[in-house]
Amino acid sequence: MEEFIDGRFFDWVDDAARKIKSFRGENITIVHHNDADGICSGAILSKLCEYLGFSPKLICIEKVHPAIVEKIHEKVDGVIMYTDLGGLAAKMIDKINAGRSYVFIIDHHPAKPIKSDYVFVLDPELGGISGDMFISAATLNYIFFRRITEEAKKYAYIAVIGAVGDYHDRSGGVLGFDRFALQEAINEGQVKIKLEQYMERYYINFFDEFAGVVAKYLTDLGACGYEMEYYRDAVRILFEGFDEKTLKKARELDKLREEKFHAEIERLKSEGFDEGEYTQWFHVGDRFSPLGVKSVGEFCQLIKDMMFVDGSKYLIGFQNMPKIIPDIGEIDWNAVKMSGRAPTQLERMILRGVAPGLDVLVPEASGAVDGFADATHKIAAACVIERGKEEEFVEEFERIVAKSMKNRKLEEQ
Ligand SMILES: [Mn+2]
């Protein structure tokens, strides 16, 4: 870890590779996120484990939460690898793990460093490299794999799909480490760049489709179809290609989501939001079920700049979490997922430093109600809190914004 913070990224990778090899004969469980990048990460990491002689088991989760981590570490023995999530949760995971398993966290979200004999965090954010701009979790796994063997090149196209899945092409093309993976995929004849009005699009030969289209199918299956365990199909198609049955599932989910989102927009238009001074919020309860809890985030993203949304206020949505977690079983909780987004007008204020970002507000507000924040960015963030504490969360959120605005004004004077 220490070396990594100093920026010696590849030393860390070599170190981790050595460590993993020394676990020969043990079980490996890969815990991956259910969005496109998380699915690509699980896929690449499972190939790496296979290459090293392991037969990894995959567990797909929507959120890192102590209750879920507890279940996993109770059920599983051997090495546990978290990917595309967990960076911020290293301490919590280490505590729950209590020396039972060796744990690797291979993530590109903001992370906290940790000193532990059992938990190892590989996260470029700890070395000052933005995981939001230059390296997707899929690319990170690719580079990890690539450092160990050239075999990895076979899967370079999967890194490209993961990076596009996390919108790392939003400035016109992928950058940094993502670009390295892209270049290797091109050299291997897997991907072609096509230009569309100054925007690069990446054509994946294996799928006869653009990376963005493949990523959307992966999200449909993994995120919308989470409760139905369609993420397994998502991982499979990355190696086997599309089949009619899987495509049909994805299209049906797409339609279901469209219907549910449309109905919710109509409801919000007629009933409006609950409003605070700085926030506007709503609760979808179970109305999006059986779609996964990523839906409320996607929904916020979809509506944030619509006419009925106040562009100057934070947008907050809640969705009930199901009690049954596929691959894990029943969790004894009453949990609610919170998604926060900033409409474009507010986004500009946040990026200029005039208003506080969600990366600060959400961890603080969720902490105040004993909730748990994981993936947080300046203009988009999520957390899990206990059901019944939604209003308290919003009050805390309001209070933190007010305090921060006041401090900013004082600084200006
Ligand atoms: Mn990701």
Side-chain angles (χ1 to χ4, degrees):
M1 274 317 297
E2 295 291 279
E3 295 103 282
F4 183 65
I5 295 168
D6 291 341
R8 275 178 269 159
F9 181 81
F10 291 107
D11 288 350
W12 197 104
V13 171
D14 291 344
D15 223 35
R18 255 194 308 276
K19 235 170 223 131
I20 292 169
K21 282 181 192 162
S22 75
F23 296 129
R24 202 146 278 172
E26 286 210 46
N27 294 323
I28 287 194
T29 302
I30 297 170
V31 182
H32 66 98
H33 195 210
N34 68 332
D35 68 0
D37 185 36
I39 282 161
C40 291
S41 300
I44 295 174
L45 189 54
S46 71
K47 285 293 167 193
L48 166 60
C49 292
E50 283 171 24
Y51 173 83
L52 294 173
F54 299 95
S55 330
K57 276 205 192 68
L58 267 65
I59 290 181
C60 182
I61 63 175
E62 296 188 285
K63 294 261 113 205
V64 181
H65 186 280
I68 292 177
V69 171
E70 247 161 56
K71 276 269 178 188
I72 292 172
H73 288 244
E74 206 173 88
K75 254 179 89 160
V76 160
D77 52 40
V79 180
I80 302 175
M81 296 173 143
Y82 288 86
T83 191
D84 195 26
L85 38 77
L88 269 185
K91 237 188 203 135
M92 177 268 279
I93 293 172
D94 189 39
K95 202 170 155 215
I96 291 172
N97 180 57
R100 279 179 285 182
S101 293
Y102 279 99
V103 178
F104 291 83
I105 299 174
I106 303 174
D107 192 12
H108 70 137
H109 293 101
K112 280 197 190 119
I114 178 174
K115 261 200 158 61
S116 164
D117 292 332
Y118 296 95
V119 177
F120 309 95
V121 185
L122 175 57
D123 192 317
E125 288 273 349
L126 293 174
I129 301 164
S130 165
D132 193 30
M133 291 279 284
F134 304 118
I135 182 164
S136 67
T139 298
L140 180 60
N141 281 288
Y142 177 72
I143 285 168
F144 191 17
F145 197 169
R146 182 69 176 74
R147 183 75 178 171
I148 293 169
T149 167
E150 297 241 327
E151 273 289 293
K153 286 186 181 175
K154 281 201 238 163
Y155 309 109
Y157 67 98
I158 301 179
V160 177
I161 297 168
V164 171
D166 266 6
Y167 308 107
H168 285 196
D169 59 344
R170 61 184 178 266
S171 66
V174 296
L175 307 166
F177 286 96
D178 290 326
R179 190 117 206 131
F180 168 79
L182 170 69
Q183 195 54 53
E184 297 225 300
I186 292 169
N187 295 347
E188 292 297 300
Q190 298 164 357
V191 175
K192 282 191 281 285
I193 299 183
K194 301 208 170 167
L195 275 177
E196 213 170 75
Q197 293 181 330
Y198 309 108
M199 292 288 288
E200 288 180 356
R201 295 187 74 201
Y202 308 122
Y203 193 80
I204 313 287
N205 292 335
F206 178 64
F207 286 103
D208 268 328
E209 241 343 321
F210 286 103
V213 177
V214 180
K216 188 171 181 308
Y217 278 121
L218 297 180
T219 306
D220 284 343
L221 293 164
C224 292
Y226 180 68
E227 277 186 48
M228 284 81 85
E229 303 182 16
Y230 290 171
Y231 46 83
R232 291 183 210 279
D233 295 295
V235 172
R236 185 175 46 79
I237 61 168
L238 283 172
F239 304 114
E240 293 178 9
F242 292 130
D243 57 273
E244 255 326 297
K245 215 173 128 197
T246 308
L247 281 178
K248 202 174 148 232
K249 283 181 190 172
R251 289 195 194 107
E252 277 169 9
L253 282 167
D254 230 16
K255 213 179 126 219
L256 181 65
R257 174 179 47 194
E258 211 170 281
E259 286 164 11
K260 295 213 178 247
F261 282 12
H262 179 76
E264 195 62 24
I265 287 173
E266 290 307 309
R267 192 189 71 82
L268 284 171
K269 273 185 185 165
S270 69
E271 291 172 28
F273 294 100
D274 285 299
E275 301 220 30
E277 199 181 338
Y278 303 103
T279 56
Q280 52 203 324
W281 61 282
F282 62 101
H283 204 313
V284 302
D286 293 316
R287 284 190 296 278
F288 284 173
S289 174
L291 305 178
V293 294
K294 197 180 166 58
S295 307
V296 69
E298 288 186 341
F299 182 73
C300 287
Q301 187 69 30
L302 175 74
I303 66 166
K304 73 185 179 68
D305 290 317
M306 287 186 179
M307 291 296 286
F308 66 98
V309 178
D310 185 339
S312 67
K313 286 182 178 176
Y314 297 88
L315 176 63
I316 289 175
F318 296 101
Q319 180 180 359
N320 291 342
M321 306 256 319
K323 280 198 167 198
I324 308 271
I325 307 280
D327 292 339
I328 294 175
E330 186 163 344
I331 309 258
D332 185 25
W333 70 4
N334 257 316
V336 173
K337 152 94 181 275
M338 186 291 313
S339 259
R341 289 291 186 281
T344 302
Q345 185 188 338
L346 178 62
E347 175 181 329
R348 291 203 184 108
M349 292 171 66
I350 294 171
L351 296 179
R352 268 192 291 135
V354 185
L358 289 163
D359 56 336
V360 178
L361 298 169
V362 169
E364 217 179 310
S366 70
V369 297
D370 297 319
F372 198 80
D374 51 323
T376 57
H377 308 276
K378 273 195 165 75
I379 54 168
C383 68
V384 176
I385 63 169
E386 205 180 304
R387 213 175 288 182
K389 289 195 173 173
E390 293 88 339
E391 279 186 42
E392 205 185 314
F393 173 88
V394 175
E395 275 164 27
E396 285 296 332
F397 190 100
E398 286 272 339
R399 191 184 56 74
I400 300 161
V401 179
K403 190 182 72 190
S404 156
M405 292 298 214
K406 208 173 126 202
N407 288 344
R408 265 161 236 263
K409 283 216 183 86
L410 286 176
E411 266 169 41
E412 268 169 36
Q413 282 164 6

